[in-house]
Amino acid sequence: MRIPAAILTLLAGMALVLTGLWVGQNINLLPEDASLNAPVYDELFKVLFSIGTILLIGIAGLIVYSLVRFRRVNGDHGDGVAIEGNLPLEILWTAIPAIVVLFVGIYSYDIYERMGGMAPLNDHSMHAMHGDAAEGRTWAGISPVAQGADASEPTLPVEVTAMQFAFIFHYPEADITSGELHVPVGQPVALTMKANDVIHAFWVPQFRLKQDIIPGQPTLLSFTATKAGRYPIVCAELCGPYHGGMRSTVIVDEPQTFADWVAQNSPAPAPAAPTAIQS
Amino acid sequence: MTLTLSPASPPPASLQPQGWLRYLSFSTDHKVIGLQYLVCGFLFYLVGGALAGAIRTELLTPISDFLPRETYNEVLTLHGTVMIFLWIVPVVNGAFGNYLIPFYVGARDMAFPRLNAVAFWLIPPAGLLLISSYFIASAAQSGWTAYPPLSLTTPATGQIIWILSVLLLGGSSIFGGINFIATILKLRRPGLKLMQLPMYCWAMLGTSILVVLSTPVLAGTLVLLSFDIIAHTGFFNPSLGGNAVVYQHLFWFYSHPAVYIMVLPAFGLVSEILPVHARKPLFGYTTMVYSIMGIVFLGLIVWAHHMFTSGTPPWMRLFFTIATSFIAVPTGIKFFNWLATLWGGKIALNSAMLFSCGFIFNFVFGGITGVALAQVPFDIHVHDTYFVVGHFHYIVYGGTVFVIFASIYHWYPKVTGRLLNEPLGQLHFLLTFIGFNLCFAPQHWMGLNGMPRRVAEYDPQFELINQVSSVGALLMAISTLPFLINVVLSAYRGAPAGDNPWNALTPEWLTTSPPPVENWHGEPPLVEEPYGYGVEPGELSLAATSGREIWAVGDPDRKP
Amino acid sequence: MTSLSSSPDQRREALEPQVGEHQGAEHHGDYRMFGLATFLVADGMTFAGFFAAYLTFRAVNPLPSGATYELELLLPTINTVILLVSSFTFHRAGAALRQNDVTRCQRWLLITAALGFSFLAGQMKEYFSLPFGLTDNLFASTFYAITGFHGLHVTLGGLMILIVWWQSRRGGRVSNGDHFPLEAAELYWHFVDGIWVVLYGILYLL
């Protein structure tokens, strides 16, 4: 007696799911995570990766199995079995993907909220944190900090100007202008971004954050870095011939190192203003 | 008495071109037009492929050292535009649609044959115009998406030529869509019901609805963009009070359905190919039809998933995530139905079947990354990176182009009367499948780890993996050779195919190969069961199926 | 259709120019109107894109100070009435043709054309009396783009009416019984009229 096909299928299915889960949890395709919301993103990635692996291996397996098991033998001019449909089966494979897709959608909504993506634009907390006046509408923004933002946590405001083909960072409080973004570990940073000419995008892969900077639309992006280090800032919207070269660096420092940097780079205090021009 | 008959006067010299010259003429024969679309499209495929070769050559090294930077941007713009508007859309719609639809509805030709010819003849000039822009001034360099303000600041001549060319190509597509809708809905032979049509007709009906509803919006948008460039209006120019995101909404309102315009006909073609070579009916005809309609409807309301980082409000991003995710359901149904069509069949492992199975694998891969991309938080990280490039090439190349090849292997015997060489076809499949996956699978990793798209220079950590991808691209280029050799040689030396080498049931197989001008000698056949393969349950020891008449297609002695 | 003694080439040649027209009214009814209607759906979608852009601009992009959405209403309202009446007169032309009164049909056609061209004249007058030009601000640009695109359609429609009038002269295609040119031009004209009503509501009244 042979093992019933149903049991073999069940075992194959279980092996498939376990493989998918293992792959999702253990095969790391992402760069290191260096911001508060990055691990949240990675959770979602692992779930999607598991589901995807299960589906791909399952379907590839079915194709290969069919091509082997049901291949036409030479000289056989007969037909296969005339099955035109199977309503219960079709309902099953409509319902299961629908449920999976719904689950993925709701789960990703939860992830998005935890990443701060659902922060309403034009919200007072966004403006307050970013320091700029309520001039005009707020156009964009991921604000992980707005979600559950601690009023006592000071945020570091930075003004970002994107132009062909560089990012310029200006620290309004310390009046520093720099080509690189220095931030302290663990402190929320609020970027107010604008573009001078064409659409650019601010992307730090290690933060899992990206935001288009569109001319005419002030754009807000907030994050909290969690690991000291140097990470690339990549322009992620075609902006002209030097688009590939439009990069910068975000340097995440320990708080003391950051404070030193601010102190060293702040402009010298202005000399006492002359009261009159002496001729 | 003798009766002298005056000799019949010689026939008037023909004003119609004969033989192969028909294919260079303004013919209204749908079969001629279909082949014109196919060959013209394939030539543009080679152009687009050469452009891709230039891109992959540049990307062998992390610095911009192969092409001047502006030229590289022109190359990537032309690559996308040529592949979409001059290869895939014309071929899966215009080539196969025009050739097959009249056969499937039992008609002698399309509803509007002259409109059909006009639609085709818009394509070569539009394509030549587009490509010549590279040599005239400079070609457009803002990507096939032409986002303002970049498209307003790059050299104007190239961008305007690009706009003109796309407007012509869009017009061609709309004329074709009108023709397909009218033919499918109005030209069915008496007795042929809608739910008896081969699935490709439903796919083309759905596609044509998308064409008619969405392409005009692109046309209007490009007209406004051209006003911005020429007349210095400020529709999309923020410095003149305009709104760059409105362009994106309008552009993607067409360009998302455009991907279904590229893929739905391929779905239809696969539904024709699999039953024939698996000798089984298409599984789930009715749900296949509803799935197509579901994809058409959903395809119109998901466009802003291309704009998740553009500053749209959170509720809008959420809506588009959910709607986009739901397209996976009708699409998944189709894939399960195809797998069920294979299951229990008698599968011939020929080139048409291999490319179809390759399609299933590749498209499922692309669909998985698609569902991932639909989720806003996931997309934030990978938007505008090589992850997206990998995703859509799995769909359009791994999906649609694989089906185009499968279809050529399937219908070449009908069109030419000769069979293609099978070993060469299998070599073609192997090289294409390996080369394609080698080229595009690594690109997902590149995107996840920090490589943006549309760049000539990149972080050196990606150098080796880019070289692997370029080797894959080279393999893809090489794979074209066995295919071209096969197609050309078999036209002269291929084994004669006969009327119906595959013992198939749809109407195009029930006539000569190649078919006569009027498609059939005599009345068009009424095929009420285009997928009536399979044997009665009594002849096989399997679970019960629906009782049905045997169509003894398997009997080698019986003529179809 | 083909004689027994003709050669394959002759037969093919005899058939080729006719293959397109062979399947026709006897089996399927005249589907040319259906094709036209589908085309008008596509054309309508172009306008839909423009209207969507206009409404979005209004909702999201503020006008520079001093600019306004207010428009002078008298002339456009008169134009609306003119267009609506012209649809009615075109309908009369069609009714006359169906009663085989070609002369009356021609008269109504000319009246319709006259109304159409006076609409265009009114539009020109409005353009010259407006305080803003094409590039003055976003509202101005969109206004001229949309009304201009519509005006283009009216012009084409007017030309079509004149062509149908020409074809309905004695010995012409329309007077000989092919009503399609008139029916097609009429449907197109009603479409253009309908678009104007929407345009009037969105651009002028809103």
Side-chain angles (χ1 to χ4, degrees), chain B residues 433-452:
Chain B
F433 187 78
I434 294 175
F436 166 77
N437 278 284
L438 193 64
C439 181
F440 292 106
Q443 295 185 356
H444 298 87
W445 188 88
M446 293 177 207
L448 288 170
N449 283 274
M451 183 169 174

Side-chain angles (χ1 to χ4, degrees), chain A residues 72 76 90 108 112 210, chain B residues 284 287 317 346-347 375 381:
Chain A
R72 194 184 302 178
D76 181 355
E90 296 188 65
S108 80
Y112 194 43
K210 178 188 293 114
Chain B
T287 44
R317 292 176 239 161
K346 302 217 172 177
I347 306 175
Q375 315 306 315
H381 177 59

Side-chain angles (χ1 to χ4, degrees), chain C residues 58-70:
Chain C
R58 258 193 94 138
V60 161
N61 285 56
L63 286 180
S65 57
T68 169
Y69 291 109
E70 293 293 315

